[in-house]
Amino acid sequence: MTAKRVSRAGLTLGLGSILEHTLMFLRTVLVARLLGPEFFGISVTFLLVVSTFALISDLGLEKYVIQAGDDELADTMPTLATLLLIRGLLMGVMILLLSGWIAAQFGHPELGWFYALAAMIPVIEGFRNLDPLAQQRRMQFGAYVKMLIGGLVPGVVLAVALAAVTHNYIAVAAGALATSVVAVTLSHWLAREPYRLGLNRKAFIAVIGYGWPLLLNGIVIFFATQGDRIVIGTLAGMRDLAGYVAVAALTGGVSLFLAKLTGNLYFPLLSETRGNPELFGERCRTTGATSLLLVSAMVFPLAMVGAPLVVLLFGPDYQTPALLATFLAIQAAAMMLRSWCATISLTLGGTSDILAASILRIIGLGSALLALSSGKDIVWVAACMAGGDALATFLALWRVSQRTKAAAPSCRILGLVFIGLAALVIGMNVTFNPVISWNGAIFSAAIAGVPGMFVALLMSGDLRERIKTIFIRFARKID
């Protein structure tokens, strides 16, 4: 695969990911300001219901499209489409049946109708054409990006407009429904292959064999990623949930953006070299160093500037303790590094590695539940969740190092640097308050990020050369 082709694919995917997460973040900020903490908290629970059911029913169908061999893909696509449709219908029925109970658990039994609207989203998504994803196998991300952004734009515009007019949480539900309808429509319009339903026995067995660990992993991830919000929403209330989600939108949003961007780019790069140990090892080292560079430059600094940034963006009603941003940034950094591990495991068919790491994350949720039940505040929830994610990341690094020796050196470096940076940001926040002034916060953020960036550049000569090439091209364009 030529460097030019990789660069073009990375640029397309990168711009798409930037647009996607910018739109989602703008929606979160604007809706939060327009609705206020109480109604914003309710709107968060709507999206929480949708994502929860998506997680606990994830068979990795989208990943299988990319991972499957060329000779089996034609027979597999109709089976994947059928499974996706069945999954969507079952999810819709489950949400509809449980909508009243969900509303009662969140302290608003009168809103059963509101959560019932969420049942429409997985049903609509079930009719999606998977061909735009299949085009990624050839490092062609254009159709996928158009489908993604084309659905988000009308959904975000509608949500913000309705929030401004009605000041009601129904705005988020309407926006989410619009996004699903448009995205599914575009998936068929941009597809190169016709949409077909079918059920091939051999393909079905292969998909289930690949996906059952991911299905269990999705259930575990539900507890590990959504559990903290559910615990806060049911035990602490919508206002605390709104503040927690505002900080997480900043820290977790950056990490999720980076994880999706790098995961989509790393997966085909690593998959095509798994039969070449030397080249595979080189790409493991380059991708690992890239993930460390991004975490150090964009995630760990948020541990120091996250709290004042949230107030600046969301407003004074969303003021939170500085340590909340610190622990949520550590959790986000752990998730980003674990995403690199997951990509390698998926490349080698080791889906059980992801499940094992996710199970360990539940320790954090259990600790958070105990902390909140005993009267602790949401900072303790964030600390417990960060601890669980850190343990899961160490396990993921160890499992990958055992699965392939090519990645073992990179795993050791990433683990040691993560420990050092996490200790550094906690120590700075406990020793002195970095948010007294913006100058102090920015200086602390620089200290938090520079060491990891330095190690990442030392770690991979290939990464240094790629960055050097980018700077040279940029300088030539300026001249």
Side-chain angles (χ1 to χ4, degrees):
M1 185 176 296
T2 64
K4 184 177 181 181
R5 184 182 172 194
V6 173
S7 299
R8 188 186 300 114
L11 180 62
T12 301
L13 188 60
L15 290 175
S17 295
I18 290 171
L19 282 172
E20 175 194 6
H21 287 273
T22 298
L23 287 167
M24 292 172 65
F25 187 70
L26 282 174
R27 180 190 65 185
T28 301
V29 171
L30 294 174
V31 169
R33 279 185 169 272
L34 291 167
L35 299 187
E38 183 70 25
F39 278 10
F40 175 61
I42 293 175
S43 71
V44 166
T45 60
F46 178 90
L47 299 176
L48 184 60
V49 169
V50 176
S51 61
T52 293
F53 280 86
L55 281 171
I56 64 176
S57 62
D58 183 17
L59 274 171
L61 303 180
E62 292 86 353
K63 295 181 179 65
Y64 193 86
V65 170
I66 300 173
Q67 193 267 351
D70 291 333
D71 55 336
E72 60 181 306
L73 189 63
D75 293 332
T76 304
M77 287 295 279
T79 300
L80 291 171
T82 301
L83 290 174
L84 184 66
L85 178 57
I86 293 173
R87 174 192 178 217
L89 293 172
L90 291 176
M91 284 171 59
V93 171
M94 289 297 296
I95 294 174
L96 188 62
L97 293 176
L98 293 173
S99 58
W101 178 82
I102 293 170
Q105 296 306 303
F106 284 121
H108 291 277
E110 74 283 2
L111 294 182
W113 63 271
F114 178 63
Y115 296 105
L117 291 175
M120 299 173 62
I121 293 178
V123 174
I124 295 169
E125 293 283 350
F127 288 93
R128 185 156 50 95
N129 193 320
L130 293 172
D131 185 69
L133 278 172
Q135 294 176 35
Q136 294 184 26
R137 296 164 59 87
R138 300 181 293 276
M139 295 297 287
Q140 296 173 0
F141 296 97
Y144 172 75
V145 170
K146 290 175 183 177
M147 178 188 74
L148 196 65
I149 303 305
L152 267 176
V153 169
V156 170
V157 171
L158 180 61
V160 173
L162 284 178
V165 173
T166 66
H167 298 286
N168 191 283
Y169 37 78
I170 193 66
V172 171
L177 285 166
T179 293
S180 293
V181 170
V182 176
V184 170
T185 302
L186 286 174
S187 75
H188 290 274
W189 185 56
L190 295 168
R192 295 175 181 174
E193 298 293 332
Y195 178 76
R196 291 183 296 134
L197 296 175
L199 195 60
N200 181 287
R201 183 176 179 275
K202 183 179 178 181
F204 175 79
I205 294 173
V207 172
I208 297 300
Y210 179 84
W212 75 261
L214 295 178
L215 178 63
L216 295 178
N217 182 61
I219 296 173
V220 174
I221 287 180
F222 152 64
F223 289 106
T225 60
Q226 311 295 351
D228 53 348
R229 290 157 173 76
I230 293 174
V231 166
I232 294 171
T234 54
L235 295 181
M238 293 301 161
R239 286 185 171 273
D240 278 343
L241 176 62
Y244 188 91
V245 169
V247 178
L250 188 63
T251 57
V254 170
S255 184
L256 182 61
F257 156 66
L258 293 175
K260 289 184 67 175
L261 170 62
T262 56
N264 286 333
L265 192 57
Y266 293 170
F267 199 16
L269 284 174
L270 292 168
S271 293
E272 72 171 4
T273 61
R274 58 190 169 191
N276 185 334
E278 184 177 349
L279 185 55
F280 184 74
E282 179 185 336
R283 290 195 176 177
C284 283
R285 185 168 57 255
T286 301
T287 54
T290 302
S291 292
L292 177 58
L293 181 70
L294 293 172
V295 164
S296 302
M298 301 180 68
V299 181
F300 272 110
L302 290 174
M304 312 311 296
V305 298
L309 267 179
V310 166
V311 174
L312 178 67
L313 294 169
F314 287 81
D317 289 340
Y318 294 88
Q319 188 166 5
T320 56
L323 268 174
L324 178 64
T326 298
F327 286 121
L328 287 179
I330 292 172
Q331 181 189 18
M335 189 271 284
M336 174 64 187
L337 295 181
R338 198 168 57 254
S339 173
W340 172 74
C341 296
T343 305
I344 296 176
S345 295
L346 287 170
T347 299
L348 300 174
T351 51
S352 60
D353 292 352
I354 305 171
L355 175 61
S358 296
I359 289 174
L360 201 56
R361 297 177 69 190
I362 297 180
I363 294 175
L365 177 60
S367 302
L369 178 59
L370 290 174
L372 209 57
S373 300
S374 61
K376 303 295 185 181
D377 62 14
I378 57 175
V379 172
W380 281 81
V381 175
C384 292
M385 297 302 293
D389 267 74
L391 290 175
T393 298
F394 295 141
L395 177 61
L397 290 167
W398 180 79
R399 290 287 292 257
V400 166
S401 68
Q402 297 299 301
R403 187 170 291 279
T404 171
K405 292 181 180 179
S410 300
C411 289
R412 287 192 290 270
I413 294 172
L414 265 60
L416 289 172
V417 174
F418 173 77
I419 292 173
L421 293 180
L424 177 63
V425 295
I426 293 174
M428 284 195 294
N429 234 316
V430 171
T431 304
F432 63 94
N433 186 1
V435 299
I436 293 176
S437 68
W438 272 104
N439 288 336
I442 294 172
F443 179 72
S444 300
I447 294 176
V450 169
M453 295 169 62
F454 181 72
V455 173
L457 292 174
L458 284 179
M459 183 177 165
S460 172
D462 183 45
L463 177 61
R464 293 195 299 272
E465 286 300 316
R466 290 178 184 273
I467 292 175
K468 180 180 176 181
T469 301
I470 291 172
F471 275 114
I472 291 174
R473 289 178 179 174
F474 181 71
R476 287 175 178 171
K477 287 183 179 180
I478 292 178
D479 292 338

